[in-house]
Amino acid sequence: MKYQVTIKSAFSVDEIEDYWTNEDYIRLLEKFDYPDADGDTTSLKELLFMAISDFEPKEAAVIVLTYKLSEQLNEGQIQQISNDMFLDKVCEEYPEIGLHSKLFHVNQLLFKAYNGKFPNAKATIIKCSFVTLEDENVNELTKEDVLKLLSDGLSESTLIKRLFDQAMTQDAPFPEAEDILWDLSTTDNVNYTIVTSEYWLNRNDILASEFEGFLEVVAEAE
């Protein structure tokens, strides 16, 4: 199925607004020896940064990593990542790409709390539309669908295309798409907002604001 793809905007950010909730801030404040905190998101965030600054950066990294990733990582892995975070953007280089999103949010919280002692990572937000050029019912696109449709408008040097060329350009499974795109949202199945890492896709990777994309439609078995 052919689609007209329109890129309306693409920009980098150093944090995703509203990712950390009031409950997150309150629970983290407890772990940083600041119990009974209360207030709006802004004041809680400022309190947390002050509380974090009383701890050594590595110790703070272990606390936040444990809070966010204890179900996915063991103690040894968390200790290793807390060391590596000072030297590299672990949220881009960690071998399990399914953890990149959470590692990004942890990294950026610590980056801001310590005024730059941790490397600064970026996320990319893309607002775009996908309009079918054929008389077909419009279904909500999956992350895999969106990446395949974007393929013809991206530079050949884009990391996703270099690593997953076959999955991006052919009718092949692309399970990694679920982790490469951190969030995909739409209200009308036409206009979409994409959130991913700048590591995977940045605005300079987009060669055109309008282009055609093709999506193979697999017929359902009767």
Side-chain angles (χ1 to χ4, degrees):
M1 184 186 298
K2 287 185 178 180
Y3 284 80
Q4 179 67 30
V5 182
T6 302
I7 307 297
K8 299 179 178 180
S9 65
F11 52 93
S12 297
V13 295
D14 62 4
E15 69 176 330
I16 306 299
E17 292 184 5
D18 302 324
Y19 174 81
W20 297 101
T21 66
N22 279 11
E23 181 182 357
D24 287 324
Y25 290 135
I26 290 170
R27 291 175 64 185
L28 280 168
L29 279 163
E30 291 174 352
K31 295 181 182 299
F32 283 98
D33 300 332
Y34 198 109
D36 304 321
D38 194 13
D40 60 31
T41 304
T42 302
S43 61
L44 285 171
K45 186 176 182 179
E46 292 174 351
L47 282 174
L48 178 59
F49 284 179
M50 287 190 292
I52 287 176
S53 66
D54 289 335
F55 287 71
E56 289 297 318
K58 182 182 183 302
E59 185 180 4
V62 170
I63 292 171
V64 182
L65 284 166
T66 301
Y67 171 74
K68 203 65 191 172
L69 289 158
S70 60
E71 294 184 0
Q72 288 86 25
L73 300 172
N74 60 41
E75 185 177 346
Q77 290 171 315
I78 287 174
Q79 290 288 339
Q80 184 62 54
I81 290 174
S82 70
N83 288 324
D84 295 342
M85 288 179 75
F86 290 100
L87 305 173
D88 301 303
K89 296 178 183 179
V90 178
C91 57
E92 296 179 353
E93 299 177 3
Y94 198 70
E96 294 183 38
I97 64 175
L99 299 182
H100 283 195
S101 175
K102 288 183 178 180
L103 287 170
F104 168 82
H105 296 297
V106 169
N107 186 90
Q108 292 310 102
L109 182 72
L110 294 167
F111 170 80
K112 292 186 178 242
Y114 285 104
N115 295 315
K117 286 187 178 181
F118 292 81
N120 187 21
K122 298 287 184 69
T124 300
I125 298 177
I126 301 171
K127 295 185 181 295
C128 53
S129 65
F130 302 93
V131 178
T132 178
L133 298 177
E134 301 174 22
D135 186 18
E136 298 282 352
N137 293 328
V138 179
N139 297 318
E140 184 171 349
L141 298 171
T142 66
K143 293 179 180 180
E144 179 177 336
D145 295 337
V146 165
L147 283 177
K148 287 176 184 263
L149 286 171
L150 288 176
S151 181
D152 285 341
L154 300 179
S155 165
E156 292 300 320
S157 63
T158 304
L159 182 63
I160 309 173
K161 294 190 74 169
R162 287 192 283 115
L163 293 182
F164 302 105
D165 178 67
Q166 183 176 3
M168 285 279 283
T169 59
Q170 300 179 27
D171 181 23
F174 193 6
E176 295 86 357
E178 286 298 314
D179 295 323
I180 291 171
L181 296 189
W182 296 349
D183 187 62
L184 177 68
S185 59
T186 182
T187 57
D188 57 10
N189 294 348
V190 173
N191 297 287
Y192 287 78
T193 299
I194 300 166
V195 181
T196 186
S197 171
E198 191 179 64
Y199 170 74
W200 289 113
L201 184 61
N202 66 64
R203 57 187 176 181
N204 295 324
D205 292 323
I206 301 170
L207 298 180
S209 59
E210 294 188 9
F211 52 93
E212 288 187 6
F214 182 77
L215 188 64
E216 185 76 23
V217 178
V218 180
E220 295 183 2
E222 295 183 0

